Amino acid sequence: MRSQGGRSARASVFAVVLCAWSASASTACRYSDACWEGLDCAPDPEPPPDPCAGTPGTAPALDECGVFVSASSGDDRHPGTKDAPVKTLQHAIGLAAHGRGRDEKPTRRVYACGGEFEEAIELPSGVDLWGGRLCDGGDWSYAGSFDGPDHPTIIAPPVGIPLRVLGGNDAVIAGDDATSVIFGVRAVAADASASDGKSSIAMILSPGAKAKVVLSDVIAGNGNDGEPGKDALSVRAKDGAPGNDGALACTVDAAVGALPVVNSCDDGIESTGGYGGDGGLDGGGDGAPGKPEPAGNPQRFGAAGLGAGGDQCTKGEDGAPGASRGRADGAKGEGYLDIHGWVGVRGEDGKKGGAGQGGGGGGGSKSRGDMVACPVSRPQSGAAGGSGGSGGCGGEGGRGGGYGGASIAIVALEDSELELDATKVVAGNGGDGGVGGTGQPGGVGLKGGRGGLGYGDMWDACSGGRGGSGGHGGDAGGGLGGAAIGIAYVVPHLAILPGTIIDVGHAGDGGYAGNAALDDEVGRGASGPWGPLYPFGAANEPPR
């Protein structure tokens, strides 16, 4: 009996351990009198139903399910319950993302009354925005709100992007990988309300953001025209200086040629008239050429005059004019997307005109030969040559015309996820590109100095050449026309479900170049990118 009793005792201990393990696994156990002989365990109880589950149009609007916001009756000092809603969408989003306090878990849902909210909002991925609610009388239902779409939650700030969905490190819910459901909302961007002051963009998904937009409208206004490029000064660039006159014969022992004159331009280029040739006894010295000398120079612009010998001296040659610049190119390409929206392309700036070359210095004369010589009582040197005049500076170029403002309903950046269901997407018209600025006239080159006079019938020295005029600055190109796009994207995951409509206006025309006639296409910018859907390159950087 002790042996059998011992076995019974050990079996009882085993049964208790087994039932204790089962209890730890949350399984309800029912024991017979001999638990080790038969163990009857009930199945796990079903979890209670989620009171917040359901579609946006049918799920109950309960305080534990979301934060409530009303532009007409709310107050941001309220807790955001049905009976005490907050006033602004952004404050409601913050409460939904972090909780109302007192260790309350985040609801991650916002219930918004129908009506207008004049604020630009940022919605982190994982927080839902359910709009179109009938709030009068505390109902907060969607179905009662004139069938919802007739009384949406309108997000219409006077400036800024109405709706921005954050993702990745920008989202305030760290590590959350959920999708935001946006329902019963109308996001409306005012004309030219983006940060560039000329584009209109209704919604931006930042990199990694995830959103599902249902029964909503996303509407961009029109873009403004691009600003005209700045004209260069209408007064001409800096003129050259006149050359110095050469010394008279019989007035100095050593008649040094006239010193050069230099015109220093703003870009560091100098136009220099050539030295005049020295006056001598039996022969005059040659002048110096004007600077800067053009390459090649077969026409001998700015060449130095020769000093007198068997023949009389020669004058310095006039300097070459500076190169005038042609019309710059108009803007090309498609622009690029960034977190602020779309950035277009300006027209090319006009190039600066070239500086005129200084005139060559005149040749010097002599005091001896078949002529009256200097009186014995005077110095014996012949007359010196005049220096060349310096050239004018080149004109500044005009500045390129600005790009037209874009109208883009939705911008979806890298790795974002967007699903559109029965949603209307509308883009307006892009603005025209700005006209390019006009270039500045070049400065005038001035005359060379006179050669010194001989004594009696002695040969006079020769004059320096005139400096060349500076080149006209180039007229600038016109700016790119503004984009008109329904959904502009960079490598997104995009799903467009039935019932979604995309309506797009027209892209802006490119701006004309400076000084161009209306039928002159040279230097005109290209029209902006257009389309219901338009992909931008993954190398999302501004053109250089």
Side-chain angles (χ1 to χ4, degrees):
M1 293 295 294
R2 285 194 303 269
S3 174
Q4 183 178 0
R7 285 196 301 271
S8 297
R10 287 193 297 273
S12 298
V13 171
F14 174 77
V16 170
V17 171
L18 176 62
C19 290
W21 175 86
S22 298
S24 69
S26 301
T27 301
C29 294
R30 182 168 52 84
Y31 301 102
S32 62
D33 291 340
C35 186
W36 61 91
E37 295 176 356
L39 182 63
D40 185 11
C41 296
D44 290 341
E46 291 292 331
D50 183 357
C52 302
T55 66
T58 61
L62 304 175
D63 285 343
E64 63 264 37
C65 300
V67 177
F68 295 80
V69 54
S70 169
S72 60
S73 62
D75 188 321
D76 281 347
R77 293 171 294 183
H78 289 169
T81 60
K82 291 174 69 173
D83 294 333
V86 297
K87 185 176 183 63
T88 61
L89 287 169
Q90 196 63 60
H91 187 61
I93 290 167
L95 294 178
H98 301 289
R100 295 186 177 96
R102 300 182 301 279
D103 298 325
E104 180 188 271
K105 293 180 63 176
T107 63
R108 301 193 179 182
R109 183 181 299 169
V110 171
Y111 295 97
C113 290
E116 186 165 338
F117 293 82
E118 294 185 355
E119 56 179 306
I121 65 170
E122 295 184 343
L123 183 72
S125 293
V127 175
D128 296 336
L129 176 57
W130 291 4
R133 301 281 145 175
L134 178 64
C135 305
D136 296 340
D139 182 33
W140 291 92
S141 66
Y142 178 75
S145 181
F146 309 104
D147 290 328
D150 294 330
H151 195 57
T153 296
I154 302 171
I155 307 172
V159 294
I161 309 299
L163 178 56
R164 187 184 295 272
V165 183
L166 305 178
N169 294 331
D170 291 332
V172 296
I173 305 177
D176 196 291
D177 196 38
T179 298
S180 292
V181 176
I182 300 165
F183 182 92
V185 166
R186 179 178 293 164
V188 182
D191 293 346
S193 55
S195 59
D196 64 1
K198 51 190 175 183
S199 295
S200 178
I201 298 172
M203 179 178 178
I204 293 182
L205 279 74
S206 66
K210 300 179 181 181
K212 179 178 181 180
V213 185
V214 185
L215 285 173
S216 295
D217 297 335
V218 184
I219 304 171
N222 296 323
N224 275 354
D225 293 342
E227 68 278 9
K230 185 178 180 181
D231 293 334
L233 293 174
S234 58
V235 297
R236 65 182 184 231
K238 185 179 178 183
D239 293 336
N244 293 311
D245 296 337
L248 305 181
C250 307
T251 57
V252 290
D253 289 325
V256 177
L259 295 175
V261 290
V262 179
N263 186 14
S264 298
C265 302
D266 292 341
D267 56 1
I269 300 296
E270 293 183 341
S271 176
T272 305
Y275 279 95
D278 297 339
L281 297 177
D282 298 310
D286 296 338
K291 302 293 182 182
E293 186 175 0
N297 197 18
Q299 295 178 286
R300 293 180 50 79
F301 285 117
L306 301 178
D311 296 315
Q312 295 185 29
C313 64
T314 60
K315 68 182 291 292
E317 298 294 335
D318 294 343
S324 291
R325 302 300 183 180
R327 195 176 288 171
D329 290 336
K332 298 179 178 62
E334 60 186 14
Y336 67 99
L337 301 179
D338 65 9
I339 59 172
H340 304 292
W342 179 77
V343 180
V345 183
R346 298 185 64 88
E348 186 179 77
D349 291 341
K351 302 294 190 299
K352 183 177 177 65
Q357 179 191 12
S365 191
K366 63 180 184 177
S367 62
R368 294 177 180 172
D370 299 332
M371 61 188 71
V372 175
C374 295
V376 175
S377 61
R378 292 191 180 184
Q380 298 299 301
S381 177
S387 65
S390 58
C393 294
E396 295 289 341
R399 297 294 180 260
Y403 60 88
S407 177
I408 303 176
I410 301 175
V411 171
L413 297 176
E414 297 93 331
D415 300 321
S416 58
E417 296 183 14
L418 174 64
E419 181 178 312
L420 300 173
D421 185 357
T423 288
K424 188 174 183 180
V425 177
V426 179
N429 301 322
D432 292 340
V435 66
T438 57
Q440 180 187 24
V444 174
L446 295 189
K447 66 180 182 180
R450 291 175 300 181
L453 299 177
Y455 179 80
D457 65 351
M458 188 185 297
W459 289 338
D460 296 335
C462 292
S463 300
R466 173 180 286 271
S469 292
H472 198 292
D475 297 323
L480 184 69
I485 300 172
I487 304 171
Y489 59 90
V490 181
V491 199
H493 305 280
L494 181 62
I496 301 176
L497 303 184
T500 294
I501 299 171
I502 303 177
D503 186 13
V504 182
H506 63 77
D509 294 329
Y512 287 94
N515 277 326
L518 291 180
D519 58 351
D520 189 347
E521 297 293 316
V522 176
R524 188 175 184 182
S527 296
W530 179 93
L533 304 174
Y534 196 98
F536 285 81
N540 199 22
E541 295 293 335
R544 299 296 182 189

